[in-house]
Short mmCIF file of all heavy atoms in Angstrom, two decimals:
data_model
loop_
_atom_site.label_atom_id
_atom_site.label_comp_id
_atom_site.label_asym_id
_atom_site.label_seq_id
_atom_site.Cartn_x
_atom_site.Cartn_y
_atom_site.Cartn_z
N GLU A 1 80.80 136.78 6.03
CA GLU A 1 82.13 137.31 6.31
C GLU A 1 82.50 138.43 5.32
O GLU A 1 83.12 139.41 5.72
CB GLU A 1 83.15 136.14 6.18
CG GLU A 1 84.59 136.53 6.49
CD GLU A 1 85.55 135.36 6.37
OE1 GLU A 1 85.13 134.21 6.46
OE2 GLU A 1 86.74 135.64 6.12
N LEU A 2 82.08 138.26 4.07
CA LEU A 2 82.38 139.32 3.10
C LEU A 2 81.63 140.60 3.41
O LEU A 2 82.13 141.69 3.21
CB LEU A 2 82.02 138.81 1.69
CG LEU A 2 82.76 139.63 0.61
CD1 LEU A 2 83.32 138.73 -0.46
CD2 LEU A 2 81.85 140.64 -0.02
N TYR A 3 80.39 140.45 3.97
CA TYR A 3 79.68 141.67 4.37
C TYR A 3 80.37 142.37 5.53
O TYR A 3 80.33 143.62 5.63
CB TYR A 3 78.25 141.30 4.75
CG TYR A 3 77.45 140.64 3.72
CD1 TYR A 3 76.24 139.95 4.01
CD2 TYR A 3 77.82 140.64 2.36
CE1 TYR A 3 75.51 139.35 3.02
CE2 TYR A 3 77.10 140.00 1.39
CZ TYR A 3 75.92 139.35 1.71
OH TYR A 3 75.17 138.69 0.77
N LYS A 4 80.99 141.59 6.38
CA LYS A 4 81.80 142.19 7.46
C LYS A 4 82.98 142.95 6.86
O LYS A 4 83.36 144.02 7.35
CB LYS A 4 82.25 141.15 8.44
CG LYS A 4 81.26 140.73 9.44
CD LYS A 4 80.89 141.82 10.41
CE LYS A 4 82.01 142.19 11.36
NZ LYS A 4 81.68 143.25 12.29
N MET A 5 83.61 142.34 5.81
CA MET A 5 84.74 143.02 5.17
C MET A 5 84.24 144.36 4.60
O MET A 5 85.05 145.31 4.54
CB MET A 5 85.22 142.17 4.02
CG MET A 5 86.13 141.02 4.36
SD MET A 5 86.68 140.10 2.90
CE MET A 5 87.54 141.38 1.99
N ALA A 6 83.00 144.41 4.23
CA ALA A 6 82.45 145.63 3.64
C ALA A 6 82.13 146.68 4.69
O ALA A 6 81.75 147.83 4.35
CB ALA A 6 81.19 145.34 2.82
N GLY A 7 82.27 146.36 5.95
CA GLY A 7 82.08 147.34 7.02
C GLY A 7 80.70 147.30 7.65
O GLY A 7 80.40 148.19 8.46
N LEU A 8 79.87 146.35 7.29
CA LEU A 8 78.53 146.28 7.90
C LEU A 8 78.67 145.83 9.36
O LEU A 8 79.54 145.01 9.70
CB LEU A 8 77.65 145.30 7.19
CG LEU A 8 76.86 145.82 5.98
CD1 LEU A 8 77.79 146.17 4.81
CD2 LEU A 8 75.82 144.78 5.52
N SER A 9 77.88 146.41 10.23
CA SER A 9 77.86 146.01 11.63
C SER A 9 77.29 144.59 11.77
O SER A 9 76.61 144.08 10.84
CB SER A 9 76.99 146.96 12.44
OG SER A 9 75.61 146.80 12.10
N ASN A 10 77.52 143.99 12.93
CA ASN A 10 77.00 142.64 13.12
C ASN A 10 75.45 142.65 12.97
O ASN A 10 74.87 141.69 12.44
CB ASN A 10 77.37 142.10 14.51
CG ASN A 10 78.89 141.83 14.61
OD1 ASN A 10 79.60 141.77 13.59
ND2 ASN A 10 79.36 141.61 15.81
N LEU A 11 74.81 143.67 13.48
CA LEU A 11 73.35 143.77 13.36
C LEU A 11 72.91 143.84 11.90
O LEU A 11 72.02 143.12 11.51
CB LEU A 11 72.85 145.03 14.10
CG LEU A 11 71.34 145.25 13.98
CD1 LEU A 11 70.57 144.24 14.77
CD2 LEU A 11 70.99 146.69 14.53
N GLU A 12 73.58 144.63 11.08
CA GLU A 12 73.22 144.77 9.69
C GLU A 12 73.53 143.46 8.93
O GLU A 12 72.74 143.10 8.03
CB GLU A 12 73.98 145.94 9.04
CG GLU A 12 73.53 147.31 9.56
CD GLU A 12 72.05 147.60 9.24
OE1 GLU A 12 71.58 147.07 8.27
OE2 GLU A 12 71.42 148.35 10.04
N VAL A 13 74.62 142.82 9.29
CA VAL A 13 74.88 141.50 8.61
C VAL A 13 73.81 140.51 8.93
O VAL A 13 73.28 139.80 8.04
CB VAL A 13 76.25 140.95 9.08
CG1 VAL A 13 76.48 139.55 8.52
CG2 VAL A 13 77.41 141.86 8.59
N LEU A 14 73.41 140.46 10.23
CA LEU A 14 72.36 139.50 10.61
C LEU A 14 71.03 139.84 9.91
O LEU A 14 70.28 138.94 9.60
CB LEU A 14 72.24 139.51 12.15
CG LEU A 14 71.51 138.33 12.77
CD1 LEU A 14 72.03 136.99 12.25
CD2 LEU A 14 71.61 138.39 14.28
N LYS A 15 70.75 141.11 9.71
CA LYS A 15 69.53 141.48 8.99
C LYS A 15 69.53 140.94 7.55
O LYS A 15 68.48 140.53 7.02
CB LYS A 15 69.33 142.99 9.02
CG LYS A 15 68.86 143.55 10.34
CD LYS A 15 68.98 145.05 10.43
CE LYS A 15 68.12 145.78 9.46
NZ LYS A 15 68.19 147.29 9.68
N THR A 16 70.70 140.97 6.90
CA THR A 16 70.76 140.45 5.51
C THR A 16 70.40 138.98 5.49
O THR A 16 69.88 138.47 4.47
CB THR A 16 72.16 140.60 4.90
OG1 THR A 16 73.08 139.69 5.50
CG2 THR A 16 72.67 142.01 4.97
N ALA A 17 70.62 138.27 6.60
CA ALA A 17 70.41 136.83 6.63
C ALA A 17 69.02 136.47 7.17
O ALA A 17 68.67 135.29 7.16
CB ALA A 17 71.46 136.17 7.52
N THR A 18 68.23 137.49 7.60
CA THR A 18 66.93 137.23 8.20
C THR A 18 65.87 138.15 7.71
O THR A 18 65.23 137.92 6.70
CB THR A 18 67.09 137.27 9.75
OG1 THR A 18 67.63 138.55 10.12
CG2 THR A 18 67.99 136.17 10.25
N GLY A 19 65.66 139.25 8.42
CA GLY A 19 64.53 140.13 8.12
C GLY A 19 64.58 140.78 6.76
O GLY A 19 63.51 141.04 6.15
N ASN A 20 65.76 141.06 6.19
CA ASN A 20 65.83 141.63 4.87
C ASN A 20 65.17 140.70 3.82
O ASN A 20 64.63 141.14 2.80
CB ASN A 20 67.27 141.92 4.48
CG ASN A 20 67.82 143.16 5.19
OD1 ASN A 20 67.14 143.77 6.02
ND2 ASN A 20 69.02 143.54 4.86
N ALA A 21 65.33 139.39 4.04
CA ALA A 21 64.74 138.43 3.08
C ALA A 21 63.18 138.53 3.14
O ALA A 21 62.54 138.43 2.09
CB ALA A 21 65.22 137.01 3.42
N ALA A 22 62.65 138.66 4.32
CA ALA A 22 61.21 138.81 4.47
C ALA A 22 60.71 140.04 3.75
O ALA A 22 59.72 140.04 3.04
CB ALA A 22 60.82 138.86 5.92
N LYS A 23 61.44 141.16 3.89
CA LYS A 23 61.10 142.42 3.20
C LYS A 23 61.18 142.27 1.72
O LYS A 23 60.30 142.70 0.98
CB LYS A 23 62.06 143.54 3.68
CG LYS A 23 61.75 144.16 5.02
CD LYS A 23 62.75 145.32 5.15
CE LYS A 23 62.51 146.03 6.50
NZ LYS A 23 63.44 147.16 6.69
N ALA A 24 62.27 141.70 1.26
CA ALA A 24 62.55 141.63 -0.18
C ALA A 24 61.55 140.72 -0.89
O ALA A 24 61.03 141.09 -1.98
CB ALA A 24 63.95 141.10 -0.43
N PHE A 25 61.28 139.55 -0.35
CA PHE A 25 60.49 138.53 -1.05
C PHE A 25 59.02 138.50 -0.60
O PHE A 25 58.21 137.78 -1.19
CB PHE A 25 61.14 137.18 -0.93
CG PHE A 25 62.41 137.03 -1.75
CD1 PHE A 25 63.63 137.40 -1.22
CD2 PHE A 25 62.34 136.60 -3.07
CE1 PHE A 25 64.78 137.26 -1.97
CE2 PHE A 25 63.51 136.48 -3.82
CZ PHE A 25 64.70 136.79 -3.29
N ASP A 26 58.70 139.26 0.47
CA ASP A 26 57.36 139.24 1.01
C ASP A 26 56.89 137.83 1.31
O ASP A 26 55.78 137.43 0.88
CB ASP A 26 56.42 139.95 0.04
CG ASP A 26 55.08 140.29 0.70
OD1 ASP A 26 55.01 140.38 1.94
OD2 ASP A 26 54.04 140.46 -0.02
N LEU A 27 57.74 137.06 1.97
CA LEU A 27 57.46 135.71 2.34
C LEU A 27 57.57 135.56 3.90
O LEU A 27 58.26 136.36 4.48
CB LEU A 27 58.47 134.72 1.69
CG LEU A 27 58.37 134.58 0.20
CD1 LEU A 27 59.59 133.80 -0.34
CD2 LEU A 27 57.07 133.87 -0.22
N PRO A 28 56.87 134.60 4.47
CA PRO A 28 56.92 134.43 5.94
C PRO A 28 58.22 133.73 6.39
O PRO A 28 58.20 132.60 6.88
CB PRO A 28 55.72 133.55 6.16
CG PRO A 28 55.56 132.70 4.95
CD PRO A 28 55.98 133.62 3.83
N ILE A 29 59.33 134.42 6.25
CA ILE A 29 60.61 133.88 6.50
C ILE A 29 61.50 134.90 7.24
O ILE A 29 61.19 136.09 7.14
CB ILE A 29 61.36 133.44 5.16
CG1 ILE A 29 61.52 134.67 4.21
CG2 ILE A 29 60.57 132.35 4.46
CD1 ILE A 29 62.23 134.40 2.96
N GLY A 30 62.49 134.46 7.93
CA GLY A 30 63.56 135.32 8.44
C GLY A 30 63.10 136.33 9.53
O GLY A 30 63.79 137.30 9.77
N GLU A 31 61.94 136.11 10.17
CA GLU A 31 61.51 137.08 11.19
C GLU A 31 60.73 136.27 12.26
O GLU A 31 60.18 135.18 12.03
CB GLU A 31 60.63 138.16 10.61
CG GLU A 31 59.42 137.73 9.93
CD GLU A 31 58.60 138.85 9.25
OE1 GLU A 31 59.08 140.02 9.28
OE2 GLU A 31 57.51 138.59 8.78
N ILE A 32 60.75 136.86 13.47
CA ILE A 32 60.01 136.34 14.59
C ILE A 32 59.05 137.37 15.12
O ILE A 32 59.46 138.47 15.47
CB ILE A 32 61.00 135.89 15.71
CG1 ILE A 32 61.96 134.80 15.22
CG2 ILE A 32 60.22 135.40 16.97
CD1 ILE A 32 63.07 134.48 16.24
N LYS A 33 57.79 137.01 15.14
CA LYS A 33 56.78 137.97 15.64
C LYS A 33 55.57 137.13 16.06
O LYS A 33 55.45 135.93 15.76
CB LYS A 33 56.36 138.93 14.55
CG LYS A 33 55.77 138.30 13.28
CD LYS A 33 55.47 139.32 12.21
CE LYS A 33 54.85 138.65 11.00
NZ LYS A 33 54.58 139.67 9.88
N LYS A 34 54.71 137.76 16.85
CA LYS A 34 53.50 137.08 17.27
C LYS A 34 52.67 136.64 16.05
O LYS A 34 52.46 137.45 15.17
CB LYS A 34 52.68 138.03 18.15
CG LYS A 34 51.41 137.38 18.73
CD LYS A 34 50.63 138.34 19.60
CE LYS A 34 49.34 137.71 20.10
NZ LYS A 34 48.54 138.63 20.96
N GLY A 35 52.30 135.40 16.07
CA GLY A 35 51.55 134.85 14.94
C GLY A 35 52.38 134.13 13.90
O GLY A 35 51.85 133.42 13.04
N SER A 36 53.73 134.27 13.95
CA SER A 36 54.58 133.61 13.01
C SER A 36 54.84 132.17 13.49
O SER A 36 54.61 131.85 14.66
CB SER A 36 55.89 134.31 12.82
OG SER A 36 56.67 134.33 14.02
N LYS A 37 55.29 131.32 12.59
CA LYS A 37 55.65 129.95 12.97
C LYS A 37 56.78 129.97 14.02
O LYS A 37 57.67 130.83 13.96
CB LYS A 37 56.08 129.16 11.75
CG LYS A 37 55.00 128.87 10.74
CD LYS A 37 54.01 127.84 11.28
CE LYS A 37 53.01 127.43 10.21
NZ LYS A 37 51.97 126.51 10.74
N ALA A 38 56.76 129.04 14.94
CA ALA A 38 57.78 128.95 15.95
C ALA A 38 58.95 128.23 15.36
O ALA A 38 59.26 127.07 15.71
CB ALA A 38 57.24 128.25 17.18
N THR A 39 59.62 128.88 14.39
CA THR A 39 60.78 128.36 13.70
C THR A 39 61.93 129.33 13.93
O THR A 39 61.88 130.50 13.49
CB THR A 39 60.44 128.21 12.16
OG1 THR A 39 59.39 127.28 12.03
CG2 THR A 39 61.66 127.79 11.44
N PHE A 40 62.92 128.91 14.68
CA PHE A 40 64.04 129.79 15.04
C PHE A 40 65.23 128.97 15.52
O PHE A 40 65.18 127.75 15.62
CB PHE A 40 63.54 130.77 16.11
CG PHE A 40 62.97 130.12 17.36
CD1 PHE A 40 63.77 129.65 18.39
CD2 PHE A 40 61.58 129.99 17.50
CE1 PHE A 40 63.23 129.03 19.53
CE2 PHE A 40 61.05 129.38 18.62
CZ PHE A 40 61.88 128.94 19.62
N VAL A 41 66.29 129.71 15.80
CA VAL A 41 67.53 129.10 16.31
C VAL A 41 67.78 129.66 17.70
O VAL A 41 67.74 130.87 17.91
CB VAL A 41 68.71 129.46 15.37
CG1 VAL A 41 69.97 128.73 15.82
CG2 VAL A 41 68.40 129.09 13.92
N LEU A 42 68.08 128.76 18.60
CA LEU A 42 68.43 129.12 19.97
C LEU A 42 69.97 128.98 20.06
O LEU A 42 70.50 127.85 19.99
CB LEU A 42 67.76 128.25 20.97
CG LEU A 42 68.00 128.61 22.46
CD1 LEU A 42 67.40 129.96 22.79
CD2 LEU A 42 67.42 127.55 23.39
N LEU A 43 70.66 130.10 20.18
CA LEU A 43 72.11 130.11 20.20
C LEU A 43 72.58 130.15 21.68
O LEU A 43 71.93 130.69 22.57
CB LEU A 43 72.64 131.36 19.50
CG LEU A 43 72.32 131.47 18.00
CD1 LEU A 43 72.72 132.81 17.45
CD2 LEU A 43 73.02 130.35 17.19
#
């Protein structure tokens, strides 16, 4: 919610919670791609 206050788009906010973590920490987390674990949320 605070990132939304900062003016980030919904897409950019969602990236902070998912793919940005994979980029930052170089861990198999926060992304969905062929070969990754089938770990995800169905909304």
Side-chain angles (χ1 to χ4, degrees):
E1 183 181 336
L2 200 136
Y3 302 164
K4 280 294 291 181
M5 282 180 60
L8 275 67
S9 69
N10 291 347
L11 177 69
E12 292 298 330
V13 173
L14 197 50
K15 285 166 64 176
T16 71
T18 55
N20 286 4
K23 280 185 180 180
F25 288 89
D26 194 22
L27 292 170
I29 58 179
E31 58 183 7
I32 298 172
K33 60 184 180 182
K34 183 179 178 180
S36 67
K37 291 290 187 183
T39 297
F40 54 83
V41 185
L42 185 65
L43 299 171

